[in-house]
């Protein structure tokens, strides 16, 4: 039975495939199954986790007669106070989407490419897994297991079984995370100032000033429900200022909006720091003071380092002398487009509110070609305010005491031990790709470089790959490169819920469970001063014969590898994942998933040790409650013991200096040499302090006079909402957007010059190509810039997401096709902000 691309999503075809294969019917919508009116039927609230964004909210699902009908926040959660944001309800349409992949499929058309019909046919689970195992074993027999790769997208913390244990036991170093597509440059800023490689928490309950930079906490950025609940009170009690070249939801409510020229964030941060210092508004408690009490910070004047006595910081005067002394508000106005009076007002307001100041940095301030130093510059403002770990400021997070997965080293044979230590495919640690996660050369992933490395076959070629819960063909900038790389990949298996763009290049398609409703796992999250461990649970039976990507699929694949003579992975899963309560070995994928989860979360519920936070009496109680809250985070917990080289907040980063020097030595060059190949302009001592780097731009200003701004929708569930009709219908909740459409927003003053009216079709051209969109005249975007929400532009994924799935015609344009490929190389981050995409706009 062959299914053409145009028929792939038809429920009737999938149902026919199910019947052909003899798979049990699990459809809660089947005729005759309805026994009562669900509006009056009894139901039960069941705990799970919303994974619509990385807030990862503890949630509950109301289940009636086996169906999920409503969602809300978990009543026990201190992280989200029992609330969800608008992303939550859309999950129901993902679960019951008729366009879901329902059975395993295999490709019968060897040719791959955009719009080329894969000619998928339904197959059994046995054939699908056998095919993957056979391709993997060919690599082992050829002595090249490193040419196998696992590409991880969004995940639960069951991830390490498929992402780490599977490739490492098999013999490959290539567990590739999506992380660099999100916010690694953000983490660079916090790590190389105060030793914190993670997302920050913010004490909104006690703040007096909130400076939101390149983020929209009411829409995204990791503590959405908590922010929505508190924002009104914050506006009554505190000043809110938002730095963003477009008017986002938070900015629309704030007292101050600073529509900065994209990519000049570092200049604005340096100027605010300058004005704070010359006005004497820094925190004496945290930073220290001049020994004689007189403020020596004067514009243009070098200061003697010995005149200042620091407390919990390092290198303030060095930073002043190297970067700040000449960079006042007037200087910044010419670069950033922000009035010098407003810059001074922001600095003064922050200083008066200190230390109860939240400096809330988002990806817009960091995910630039040269964004690492602007991330440091923004984070340094929190250091000046003394608001790091302070009441009303930005915070770290309490520890979540869970176990790691069992060690797998003893299950690696000699081939695996040798080849799993080889260079990873993403080229991390190359001279031009330091990827300095936690100060280690090559310590971080460079996700978006994988496609380029595959095409170059450097350090080697990839022959077999598995991807799960990802769509790199759509979600990474310069998406066209991923299309080319996957066209040439000899064998690719995609574990997925929907037929996404990435799926169109698959040789085997594996149907996956939907997280939040059908999957078993856990995630770790934070907000409001609490860390949470929250369970993802199967609250309804799957509608189709789908399996969990991170656990069941790995278990089944291990069995197939064992049949073909490689038993190591199966031995590891059986012998190391025994039920911690009974000691029983798992006998199937579902038992393996449960025992795995119990092993990792045991400290939270087994009662063997007081780990703080909620007291949970046993495994069943944990399942019923669905989550664990930590104790409240203690303010000033890290003062005096920051994880930097000096154990202080570093305005002059000895930690970064050491990391860069080690990377340079590794490649027989100096730090200036590293800066040159990583596309930074800094040289000498400037490399070790937060500073302004001129934005790098693809497309000269003469031919591409506008700057493109990418942003995320309030309704984007990790970019997986576009096939939900509710997403399309309510798209207008994003300021300036239009339902069931994809519009390019342009300032009316710019539109007038170009003769463009609201609703006109326009051509926008970047260095990647020319695209057509409808114009939306909107005062909320800075003149000289155009903006478009990420999420539309699908040519696959489903009958709602795509304009015409059968013909691979996209609904709108994918932002990641407009924006070219580039990387912030010090962190390894995918670039998507900072004015790096020049645009030409013309009336079509």
């Amino acid at each position: 039975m062959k299914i053409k691309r145009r028929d792939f999503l038809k429920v009737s075809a999938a149902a026919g495939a199910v019947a052909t294969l003899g798979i049990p019917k699990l459809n809660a919508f089947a005729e005759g199954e309805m026994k009562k009116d669900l509006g009056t039927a009894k139901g039960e609230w069941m705990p799970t986790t919303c994974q619509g964004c990385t807030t990862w909210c503890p949630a509950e699902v109301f289940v009636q007669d086996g169906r999920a009908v409503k969602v809300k926040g978990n009543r026990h959660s201190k992280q989200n106070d029992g609330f969800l944001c608008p992303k939550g309800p859309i999950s129901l349409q993902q679960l019951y989407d008729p366009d879901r992949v329902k059975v395993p499929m295999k490709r019968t058309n060897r040719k791959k490419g955009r719009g080329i019909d894969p000619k998928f046919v339904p197959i059994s689970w046995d054939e699908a897994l056998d095919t993957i195992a056979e391709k993997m074993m060919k690599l082992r027999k050829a002595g090249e297991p490193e040419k196998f790769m696992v590409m991880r997208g969004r995940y639960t913390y069951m991830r390490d079984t498929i992402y780490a244990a599977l490739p490492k036991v098999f013999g490959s170093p290539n567990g590739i995370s999506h992380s660099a597509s999100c916010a690694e440059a953000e983490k660079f800023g916090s790590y190389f100032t105060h030793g914190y490689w993670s997302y920050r928490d913010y004490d909104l309950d006690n703040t007096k000033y909130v400076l939101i930079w390149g983020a929209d906490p009411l829409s995204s950025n990791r503590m959405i429900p908590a922010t929505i609940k508190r924002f009104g009170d914050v506006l009554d009690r505190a000043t809110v200022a938002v730095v963003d070249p477009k008017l986002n939801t938070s900015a629309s409510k704030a007292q101050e909006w600073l529509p900065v020229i994209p990519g000049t964030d570092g200049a604005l941060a340096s100027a605010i720091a300058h004005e704070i210092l010359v006005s004497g508004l820094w925190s004496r408690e945290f930073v220290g003071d001049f020994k004689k009490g007189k403020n020596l910070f004067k514009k243009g004047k070098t200061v003697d380092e010995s005149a200042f006595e620091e407390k919990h910081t390092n290198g303030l005067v060095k930073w002043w002398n190297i970067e700040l002394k000449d960079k006042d508000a007037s200087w910044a106005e010419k670069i950033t487009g922000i009035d010098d009076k407003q810059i001074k007002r922001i600095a003064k307001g922050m200083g008066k509110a200190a230390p109860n100041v939240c400096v809330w940095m988002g990806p817009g301030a960091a995910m630039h070609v040269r964004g690492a130093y602007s991330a440091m510059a923004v984070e340094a403002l929190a250091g000046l305010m003394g608001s790091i770990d302070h009441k009303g400021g930005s915070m770290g997070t309490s520890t979540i005491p869970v176990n790691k997965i069992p060690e797998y080293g003893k299950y690696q044979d000699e081939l695996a031990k040798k080849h799993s230590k080889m260079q990873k495919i993403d080229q991390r640690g190359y001279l031009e790709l330091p990827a300095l996660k936690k100060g280690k050369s090559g310590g971080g992933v460079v996700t978006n470089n994988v496609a380029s490395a595959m095409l170059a076959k450097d350090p080697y070629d990839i022959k077999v790959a598995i991807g799960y819960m990802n769509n790199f063909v759509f979600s990474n900038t310069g998406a066209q490169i991923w299309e080319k790389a996957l066209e040439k990949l000899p064998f690719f298996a995609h574990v997925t819920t929907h037929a996404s763009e990435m799926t169109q290049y698959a040789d085997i398609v594996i149907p996956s469970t939907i997280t939040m409703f059908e999957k078993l796992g856990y995630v770790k999250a934070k907000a409001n001063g609490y860390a949470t461990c929250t369970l993802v649970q199967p609250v309804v039976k799957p509608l189709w014969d789908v399996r969990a990507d991170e656990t069941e699929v790995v278990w089944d694949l291990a069995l197939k590898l064992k049949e073909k003579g490689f038993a190591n992975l199966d031995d590891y899963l059986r012998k190391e994942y025994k039920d911690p309560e009974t000691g029983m070995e798992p006998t199937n994928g579902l038992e393996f998933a449960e025992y795995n989860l119990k092993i990792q979360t045991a400290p939270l519920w087994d009662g063997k040790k007081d780990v703080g936070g909620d007291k949970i009496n046993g495994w069943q109680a944990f399942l019923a409650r669905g989550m664990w809250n930590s104790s409240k985070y203690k303010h000033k917990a890290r003062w005096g013991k920051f994880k930097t080289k000096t154990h202080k907040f570093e305005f002059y980063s000895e930690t970064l200096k050491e990391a860069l020097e080690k990377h340079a030595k590794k490649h027989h060059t100096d730090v200036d040499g590293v800066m040159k190949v990583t596309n930074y302009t800094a040289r000498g001592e400037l490399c070790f302090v937060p500073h302004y780097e001129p934005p790098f731009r693809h497309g000269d200003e003469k031919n591409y006079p506008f700057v493109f701004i990418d942003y995320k929708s309030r309704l984007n569930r990790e970019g997986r909402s576009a096939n939900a009709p509710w997403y399309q219908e309510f798209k207008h909740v994003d300021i300036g957007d239009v339902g069931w459409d994809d519009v390019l927003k342009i300032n009316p003053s710019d539109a007038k010059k170009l003769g463009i009216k609201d609703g006109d079709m326009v051509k926008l051209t970047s260095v990647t190509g020319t695209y057509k969109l409808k114009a939306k005249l909107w005062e909320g975007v800075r003149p000289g810039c155009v903006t478009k929400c990420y999420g539309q532009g699908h040519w696959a994924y489903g009958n709602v997401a795509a304009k015409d799935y059968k013909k691979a015609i996209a609904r709108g344009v994918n932002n990641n096709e407009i924006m070219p490929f580039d990387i912030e190389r010090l962190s390894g981050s995918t670039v998507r902000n900072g004015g790096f995409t020049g645009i030409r706009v013309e009336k079509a």
Side-chain angles (χ1 to χ4, degrees), residues 578-585:
K578 296 177 181 178
D579 187 330
E581 291 187 294
T582 68
M584 297 290 291
E585 290 185 359

Side-chain angles (χ1 to χ4, degrees), residues 708 741-746 756-765 770-776 786-789 792-793 810-815 818 839 841-844:
F708 183 76
D741 209 342
D742 191 22
V743 295
L744 182 74
K745 292 186 276 294
I746 182 170
I756 294 171
K757 297 179 181 179
D758 194 56
D760 283 350
M761 294 301 296
V762 297
K763 292 192 299 182
L764 62 154
T765 302
T770 297
Y771 312 88
K772 285 188 177 181
L773 276 172
K774 186 181 292 185
K776 170 76 173 182
V786 293
T787 185
K788 192 174 86 63
C789 187
Q792 300 284 40
R811 183 185 295 279
V813 179
N814 179 9
N815 288 10
I818 298 169
I839 292 288
V841 180
E842 306 163 278
K843 188 173 180 178

